[in-house]
Amino acid sequence: MKNYIKADEWNIIEEGFDPHLNKVSESLFSIGNGRMGQRANFEESYSGETLQGNYVAGVYYPDKTRVGWWKNGYPEYFAKVLNAANWIGIDISIESEVLDLFTCKVTAFKRVLDMQQGTLSRTFTAELNSGKIVQVEAIRFCSIAEDELAALRYKITAVNFEGSIAITSFVDGDVKNQDANYDEKFWNEVKQEQVNDTDYLVLRTKKTEFDVCTASHTTIVYNSETQNLKPVSKEKYVGQTAAIYLKQGTAVDIYKVAANLSSQNYSKEELLAAAKAKMERAVAKGFDQLLKAQIDAWAAKWQESDMVIEGDVKAQQAIRFNIFQLNQTYTGKDARLNIGPKGFTGEKYGGSTYWDTEAYCIPFYLSTAPQEVAENLLVYRYKQLDKAIENAKKLGFNNGAALYPMVTMNGEECHNEWEITFEEIHRNGAIAFAIFNYIRYTGKENYLAQYGLEVLIGIARFWKQRVNWSVDKQKYVMLGVTGPNEYENNINNNWYTNKLAAWCLRYTIEAAAVVKTQDPEKYKAILEKTNFKEEQEFSDWTAVADQMYYPYDEKEQVFLQQDGFMDKEQILVKDLPATERPLNQKWSWDRILRSCYIKQADVLQGMYFFEDEFDQETLKRNYNFYESRTVHESSLSPCVHSILAAKLSDEEKAYEFYLRTARLDLDDYNNDTEDGLHITSMAGTWMSIVEGFAGMRVRNGQLNFRPFLPKAWNSFSFNIGFRGAQLNVHITASQIKIVNNADQALEISIFNQPYTVPNGEKVITYNEQLV
Ligand code: BGC
């Protein structure tokens, strides 16, 4: 746990430079715009510990799989988002001495991520070994207004000397992924060009052959005069240099306007020309105008998604940080893109798509962005249906059964640990649940005819084939699976997976009925396309759903996570010495697997998805049982426990779990922020407040609230969009105020009492009775 980030409502602030924290800060201060992003590496050279990271969304490399013992069915490669060309580079050398914060004496260091405006800035004073002191002010951003653009301004002042300063502003494509399996470089150079102080570097990924053109225009101004620049270049590297004689107390300003264009959006032949046109327009606008557009675009984003917490600055900072990073990672403009668990902040998890998107991120984007954004996330899976069918086929399934990958970039499975790749199949259910969730929220039932039903049919066929009839139990069972709790592998009858599978089968039948009634033509076309035997398949699915086996413990009266769970030694987490945790760092894997400790919500994840099926008593028994055995060693876990605790009116616990997710990265809770941020769990933090504290649900097409105010806060409020209305929900200890900007009134319910919210605002006071 760390505590060096200064509390502030809109900014993430680091004061003072500690090289030991540099990689953590590089993650925390990352910037991005959905199309590209980067870690907060320094512009100037740095010889200390650093993880260099520039990423272009959707551009990946199939790194050849490396495993100890090959299993049939493993994918050949793991698709990784690549560390791409570094466009921020500025080498500074003062009378031949390199400016490098690792070798200088650094004072007055301050790094600020301004979340309101979407900028990263840094100021510092550095004393070189020669005693020369310089002061630097730098600011940069990845433009969310025009997502192929980025810009920076870097100002350097000679504090106590006069002398010559050599500046090289460059684009460097000779970069590596630290997680390369075979220490290979993934880029080849296609071409480079340097015109009018602008550098263009076109690189091509090996194997996947994505071309990316990274361009940068440099302007250096001293004494109000733009300096002449000299191009420099070598393989995979292009830059501009200038040598300036700096008088004491004066400063030189360096401006870079940059672009990343990829062959995903342009033909390879047109790429360079498109980059030139883009750069010409961007350079004409200049840094200040691009910055203004950035500030305006972020103001609009905050209008949709801001959350205000009064009375607790650290909580306010944390929730804005979570929302900011989610908005930096995914903007929903492109249905080919998705949300990697680390976004653009690190290499871990390959930048690829996990079930995290459907189970955790969808609710956030549904409420805080235009409808198309969440829809694009669903369409992403629709477009990969063929690959999911192929994936299932490789594992021996047939008849159009679809198994979506555990980890993917392009629809193909990348993951290669058998107990996850082959067995953590609950991911399929989350994809079906997201379709249901999307329709529940938006009311857009025709999504089923458009895309949803085909996906559901593939998923339902998979579940049907994945179960088998147990003569012994006279039930359908599902053997050899891994549930969300990855601290158990290759188990039989994971309650969550069985529950989800049965639900998928029933929901697909319901969805088919909707399409059949609403769009019979399309229904017919889908039946033909999927070669669907309506009567037979529906009856098979119903049989499985009706006769699914669910492990249950009569003594504890709880749903059992899996067969045999009670054979384990039941020592609760509270009786585990703190020195033994986190288990995944202190215990052997073998010991973890044999223990009763649960990595993340599993049975409780199911109770969260299907909450209306359970009464409070059942929820409480299961919550108490599983919470006392859960170590929350996945960042995705505490938010689900927080929401359920809120539902059980255990406000203290709900708040405690919320705190664990909200500042997970800011306080480096798990000592792993240096690898990158936990982007997908950030959506869980948002859910803890909206679904937990505000108790927001959509039932029968209406918003329901069941709010409470955490003791530490004076009030909280959030913006959401719902079926064409933009709402602000403000909650205090005794009141909920809803501002509705739509012309038509909105029917809602608070503690199950119906209310009408007209255009304008409605204040509802709730008292003990209502609660
Ligand atoms: C979790 C998975 C999750 C993955 C990526 C793992 O630690 O157990 O549920 O999908 O991280 O976030």
Side-chain angles (χ1 to χ4, degrees), residues 129-183:
N129 289 332
S130 61
K132 294 188 186 68
I133 298 178
V134 291
Q135 221 174 49
V136 169
E137 286 167 44
I139 178 166
R140 67 180 196 245
F141 58 91
C142 290
S143 172
I144 201 142
E146 219 178 318
D147 62 13
E148 288 169 326
L149 294 180
L152 71 78
R153 187 180 62 212
Y154 192 95
K155 178 186 185 122
I156 177 161
T157 309
V159 176
N160 67 344
F161 69 95
E162 65 170 56
S164 118
I165 167 167
I167 299 169
T168 308
S169 157
F170 61 87
V171 173
D172 182 9
D174 193 19
V175 292
K176 282 171 84 159
N177 266 53
Q178 266 190 13
D179 68 353
N181 283 344
Y182 297 91
D183 202 29

Side-chain angles (χ1 to χ4, degrees), residues 514-584:
V514 170
V515 179
K516 193 173 185 172
T517 326
Q518 293 183 353
D519 194 343
E521 280 296 298
K522 185 72 202 218
Y523 186 65
K524 217 169 128 236
I526 294 174
L527 293 196
E528 264 163 39
K529 183 172 173 193
T530 56
N531 194 17
F532 195 71
K533 309 276 174 298
E534 208 179 356
E535 215 173 304
Q536 182 64 49
E537 297 202 50
F538 282 169
S539 113
D540 289 351
W541 296 353
T542 309
V544 173
D546 286 351
Q547 297 177 78
M548 183 70 92
Y549 168 72
Y550 302 106
Y552 188 76
D553 188 72
E554 290 294 345
K555 202 159 141 248
E556 299 283 345
Q557 302 252 312
V558 294
F559 306 121
L560 214 49
Q561 191 176 271
Q562 76 246 8
D563 285 351
F565 186 82
M566 291 313 279
D567 291 338
K568 289 164 176 266
E569 203 177 5
Q570 304 287 327
I571 302 172
L572 304 185
V573 175
K574 70 173 171 45
D575 299 321
L576 255 181
T579 49
E580 311 262 299
R581 295 175 65 187
L583 298 181
N584 61 18

Side-chain angles (χ1 to χ4, degrees), residues 486-649:
E486 292 171 345
Y487 287 178
E488 298 277 2
N489 298 156
N490 198 34
I491 54 173
N492 294 336
N493 295 310
N494 172 250
W495 183 87
Y496 171 75
T497 310
N498 287 14
K499 180 88 196 148
L500 201 55
W503 174 86
C504 285
L505 292 166
R506 287 205 185 92
Y507 180 58
T508 309
I509 297 172
E510 277 170 35
V514 170
V515 179
K516 193 173 185 172
T517 326
Q518 293 183 353
D519 194 343
E521 280 296 298
K522 185 72 202 218
Y523 186 65
K524 217 169 128 236
I526 294 174
L527 293 196
E528 264 163 39
K529 183 172 173 193
T530 56
N531 194 17
F532 195 71
K533 309 276 174 298
E534 208 179 356
E535 215 173 304
Q536 182 64 49
E537 297 202 50
F538 282 169
S539 113
D540 289 351
W541 296 353
T542 309
V544 173
D546 286 351
Q547 297 177 78
M548 183 70 92
Y549 168 72
Y550 302 106
Y552 188 76
D553 188 72
E554 290 294 345
K555 202 159 141 248
E556 299 283 345
Q557 302 252 312
V558 294
F559 306 121
L560 214 49
Q561 191 176 271
Q562 76 246 8
D563 285 351
F565 186 82
M566 291 313 279
D567 291 338
K568 289 164 176 266
E569 203 177 5
Q570 304 287 327
I571 302 172
L572 304 185
V573 175
K574 70 173 171 45
D575 299 321
L576 255 181
T579 49
E580 311 262 299
R581 295 175 65 187
L583 298 181
N584 61 18
Q585 287 170 25
K586 302 288 170 65
W587 282 15
S588 72
W589 189 241
D590 163 67
R591 193 171 169 198
I592 289 177
L593 290 178
R594 282 184 286 109
S595 79
C596 71
Y597 302 119
I598 298 168
K599 181 184 180 189
Q600 67 200 91
D602 192 302
V603 166
L604 295 184
Q605 181 78 36
M607 297 192 80
Y608 161 67
F609 275 172
F610 307 117
E611 60 174 357
D612 291 342
E613 291 182 29
F614 312 105
D615 58 33
Q616 290 285 91
E617 274 312 303
T618 310
L619 176 61
K620 191 166 187 180
R621 272 197 316 278
N622 281 276
Y623 173 84
N624 288 342
F625 182 84
Y626 286 108
E627 167 43 31
S628 56
R629 288 159 177 82
T630 304
V631 286
H632 300 289
E633 288 179 12
S634 159
S635 63
L636 299 174
S637 188
C639 62
V640 175
H641 285 237
S642 176
I643 295 167
L644 295 181
K647 191 165 185 223
L648 291 169
S649 305

Side-chain angles (χ1 to χ4, degrees), residues 293-405:
Q294 170 80 343
I295 295 170
D296 292 347
W298 270 104
K301 282 252 171 239
W302 285 114
Q303 193 62 36
E304 288 172 334
S305 57
D306 193 19
M307 203 174 254
V308 177
I309 296 171
E310 284 176 335
D312 185 342
V313 177
K314 279 189 141 187
Q316 174 67 82
Q317 179 182 44
I319 191 60
R320 287 219 171 104
F321 181 65
N322 286 260
I323 295 170
F324 179 68
Q325 291 296 352
L326 284 160
N327 282 329
Q328 291 206 110
T329 306
Y330 186 74
T331 57
K333 285 189 194 152
D334 186 337
R336 294 166 301 177
L337 304 181
N338 210 284
I339 307 155
K342 298 261 169 257
F344 300 115
T345 70
E347 297 176 357
K348 205 172 165 196
Y349 297 119
S352 325
T353 310
Y354 285 64
W355 75 300
D356 306 27
T357 294
E358 285 80 15
Y360 296 86
C361 300
I362 287 279
F364 170 79
Y365 292 104
L366 266 177
S367 292
T368 63
Q371 192 170 302
E372 304 74 63
V373 174
E375 184 163 326
N376 268 347
L377 287 170
L378 302 190
V379 173
Y380 174 93
R381 295 291 195 176
Y382 172 79
K383 294 209 165 131
Q384 297 184 350
L385 178 59
D386 288 349
K387 295 251 170 67
I389 292 174
E390 211 177 291
N391 186 35
K393 216 167 173 180
K394 279 187 202 153
L395 303 186
F397 298 87
N398 54 39
N399 186 35
L403 175 60
Y404 278 91

Side-chain angles (χ1 to χ4, degrees), residues 221-227 244-247 250-253:
V221 182
Y222 181 57
N223 257 343
S224 309
E225 273 175 30
T226 301
Q227 305 295 301
I244 298 158
Y245 195 85
L246 234 68
K247 294 247 170 65
T250 64
V252 54
D253 286 296

Side-chain angles (χ1 to χ4, degrees), residues 74 137 147 206 278 444 581 593 766:
Y74 271 169
E137 286 167 44
D147 62 13
K206 294 179 186 168
K278 178 123 265 190
K444 200 184 156 199
R581 295 175 65 187
L593 290 178
Y766 50 91

